[in-house]
Amino acid sequence: MAVFLGKQQLPRLLSTLQNIRKANHIRGEIISKLQSVITDYDFIVDRWPDYRALVVRVNPATAKYRNHLISETVVHATDCEALETLLQLPEVIDWSARIGFVGKYPDEMSSVLSVMQKHHRPYHLDKFFDMKVTEKTLKFWPIPNGFKIGSLIPEQANLVNSIWSYNEGTHSELYIKELIRKLPSCCLYNRRGSLVGYGLTNHYGYLGVLHILEAHRGKGYAKMLTSYLAGLRLQKMEEVHVYVHETNKASIALNKQIGFETNLPEDTCWWINTPASE
């Protein structure tokens, strides 16, 4: 049986995940819905309130940003058999559509892959490090004299989207515009007033969409933007997180220099994507 939680039940769900280290992403999704940042997600459990499996996925009927967020179904389970059962219910997952899954535990990944095999779905698997920084560990990178740092404005969403590797046209541009309106962002300008780079906060609270224009790379500007944005987030949070692909050595090193830390293999996240069924 699938139980779709209403908004009034989400605070209780959040409290059950409060002290679980690997539930950072899901906690961010709940907070996003409660604060009306991005409300496209459904929270589905196998039973309530003593749930064993949780699936957080885009509502295909009402989602404003369905095309862009469809690859971010987050799972969490204390009973992987219950998770497999939940994933096989047609009202929970449309296995004919393009879809992606995010999780932190190897057993959860095995459950997702088991159901994928039953539906004969091909997939691509990536692994990321979940790095975090606190007020105690954050190292600010100074801004050069004459440079200015501030927030992005909604009118810059088109520029950000045009460069973004996950660009999906109007859908992703509207999503970026919503992030700029509702969450902390930053952009850096040089002495001539030219844009150097920018960074945003994803709807679930992790830092992301960091970009330095090619002419300005190799000068430490990414550290400036990331440390500044992390500082903004830490004004309201005890810790700030970022996902970094396990093969992106440069980004891992950059974040460590700023004070981000990770404990491996505990802080590894898996991301599975599938194409649409033919």
Side-chain angles (χ1 to χ4, degrees), residues 41 101 110 161 250:
Y41 285 87
F101 292 90
S110 297
N161 188 56

Side-chain angles (χ1 to χ4, degrees), residues 25 40 104 201 229 244:
H25 189 138
D40 286 359
K104 298 288 182 71
T201 305
L229 186 55
V244 183

Side-chain angles (χ1 to χ4, degrees), residues 3-272:
V3 180
F4 287 71
L5 301 183
K7 194 171 182 178
Q8 70 279 5
Q9 294 165 305
L10 294 186
R12 184 171 181 179
L13 176 64
L14 182 62
S15 69
T16 67
L17 299 166
Q18 205 60 50
N19 297 316
I20 300 177
R21 178 176 177 174
K22 294 192 175 188
N24 300 313
H25 189 138
I26 288 183
R27 287 199 298 269
E29 295 287 2
I30 297 171
I31 293 168
S32 175
K33 182 122 181 177
L34 288 173
Q35 296 181 352
S36 299
V37 177
I38 297 293
T39 59
D40 286 359
Y41 285 87
D42 284 332
F43 296 81
I44 311 166
V45 294
D46 62 313
R47 61 191 190 191
W48 182 256
D50 57 334
Y51 69 95
R52 300 165 298 172
L54 167 64
V55 174
V56 183
R57 63 105 167 102
V58 167
N59 185 312
T62 63
K64 189 175 180 181
Y65 307 106
R66 180 181 183 276
N67 286 15
H68 177 65
L69 298 175
I70 197 68
S71 62
E72 292 184 9
T73 296
V74 192
V75 299
H76 177 79
T78 57
D79 183 330
C80 287
E81 288 187 9
L83 177 59
E84 283 195 38
T85 300
L86 192 61
L87 290 172
Q88 292 184 74
L89 297 176
E91 65 268 32
V92 176
I93 299 294
D94 177 4
W95 285 100
S96 66
R98 177 173 68 91
I99 193 169
F101 292 90
V102 185
K104 298 288 182 71
Y105 294 96
D107 288 347
E108 294 169 348
M109 180 177 70
S110 297
S111 296
V112 171
L113 292 177
S114 174
V115 181
M116 280 186 169
Q117 290 169 359
K118 291 176 182 177
H119 289 269
H120 308 289
R121 296 302 306 274
Y123 65 88
H124 175 75
L125 172 64
D126 280 307
K127 290 188 178 180
F128 292 79
F129 297 151
D130 186 338
M131 306 184 73
K132 77 171 182 179
V133 69
T134 64
E135 188 176 357
K136 183 178 179 179
T137 64
L138 179 63
K139 301 171 185 176
F140 281 100
W141 223 257
I143 307 300
N145 289 333
F147 279 56
K148 293 182 179 180
I149 194 164
S151 299
L152 288 165
I153 59 175
E155 288 74 19
Q156 291 174 300
N158 180 265
L159 169 65
V160 175
N161 188 56
S162 67
I163 303 171
W164 197 21
S165 57
Y166 297 102
N167 182 341
E168 292 198 8
T170 304
H171 296 284
S172 52
E173 182 179 336
L174 291 173
Y175 171 72
I176 290 170
K177 188 172 290 188
E178 200 83 340
L179 297 185
I180 293 172
R181 284 176 176 150
K182 296 181 177 179
L183 294 171
S185 64
C186 62
C187 53
L188 181 66
Y189 296 91
N190 64 16
R191 296 179 183 90
R192 297 179 179 178
S194 300
L195 181 66
V196 170
Y198 51 80
L200 284 80
T201 305
N202 285 306
H203 71 273
Y204 50 87
Y206 280 48
L207 304 189
V209 201
L210 175 67
H211 183 80
I212 304 299
L213 275 65
E214 191 169 352
H216 303 287
R217 293 176 185 172
K219 301 175 182 177
Y221 298 141
K223 299 184 188 75
M224 297 174 196
L225 284 166
T226 304
S227 64
Y228 179 84
L229 186 55
L232 289 179
R233 295 292 289 159
L234 285 170
Q235 292 176 9
K236 296 184 178 180
M237 305 177 66
E238 293 183 2
E239 57 188 44
V240 173
H241 291 254
V242 63
Y243 281 133
V244 183
H245 196 279
E246 63 175 353
T247 63
N248 192 341
K249 306 299 183 185
S251 186
I252 293 169
L254 180 152
N255 282 288
K256 283 184 175 180
Q257 286 180 296
I258 298 167
F260 280 82
E261 301 171 339
T262 186
N263 294 318
L264 301 177
E266 291 86 356
D267 292 336
T268 302
C269 166
W270 51 264
W271 212 294
I272 301 173

